[in-house]
Amino acid sequence: MIIAILIALLIPAVQRVREAAQRAQMQNLLQAGGGICTAFGSFFKKFGVYPSDLHDVRLLEFTPDNEPFDQLAKNLGFQCFLYKLTSTGTPGIQSGWNFSLCTIFHDGVTEYCIDKNCQVVTTKTSETKDKCPPL
């Protein structure tokens, strides 16, 4: 009986720690030097543009373990990944280009976004009104 109560008390704490670790891993993936910004920078150096579609097969060459970013995010417990990507500019001139992309954590509320400066901005989806695309 006492063991069951202790286990019941520990399970939510363990889940919170797990979620915090997943969020930290995603933030590391998004930050400068992380997998996404490194991949986008390498993509630009090779092709002169940022990818406009995350399913561009050329992008896999630059991703960790050649795995699609949406799969990496799902492995970290994210509901959707890079559901919003904009990429604009003049080919070959990196300073004139910009991209922004966002992902939503599995809680359906916390959104992480970056631009080409790779600074992670956290918002609540209720503030941005953005939602994951339907599956």
Side-chain angles (χ1 to χ4, degrees):
M1 177 80 166
I2 294 174
I3 293 174
I5 293 171
L6 290 174
I7 290 173
L9 292 172
L10 284 175
I11 289 174
V14 169
Q15 183 61 27
R16 283 192 300 275
V17 169
R18 183 178 295 128
E19 286 183 2
Q22 290 170 330
R23 290 174 197 248
Q25 287 178 306
M26 179 56 76
Q27 286 183 335
N28 288 337
L29 191 62
L30 290 168
Q31 290 174 344
I36 293 171
C37 286
T38 301
F40 273 54
S42 298
F43 189 96
F44 192 94
K45 286 176 186 163
K46 184 167 184 176
F47 300 108
V49 296
Y50 286 117
S52 59
D53 179 358
L54 291 167
H55 299 289
D56 187 327
V57 294
R58 300 175 299 171
L59 189 57
L60 290 175
E61 175 182 346
F62 309 107
T63 62
D65 300 323
N66 299 74
E67 195 168 14
F69 283 121
D70 58 349
Q71 185 59 49
L72 291 171
K74 286 177 186 173
N75 295 345
L76 293 175
F78 278 72
Q79 191 177 77
C80 65
F81 186 58
L82 305 183
Y83 70 94
K84 179 172 64 177
L85 170 66
T86 57
S87 176
T88 57
T90 305
I93 304 173
Q94 192 167 12
S95 63
W97 272 80
N98 196 13
F99 69 83
S100 64
L101 44 96
C102 299
T103 185
I104 296 178
F105 193 58
H106 75 80
D107 63 9
V109 175
T110 308
E111 176 184 66
Y112 298 94
C113 296
I114 61 169
D115 61 14
K116 77 175 186 179
N117 297 318
C118 300
Q119 298 300 312
V120 179
V121 177
T122 303
T123 61
K124 300 292 184 193
T125 57
S126 60
E127 296 167 9
T128 64
K129 305 292 187 235
D130 289 322
K131 302 287 182 228
C132 292
L135 298 175

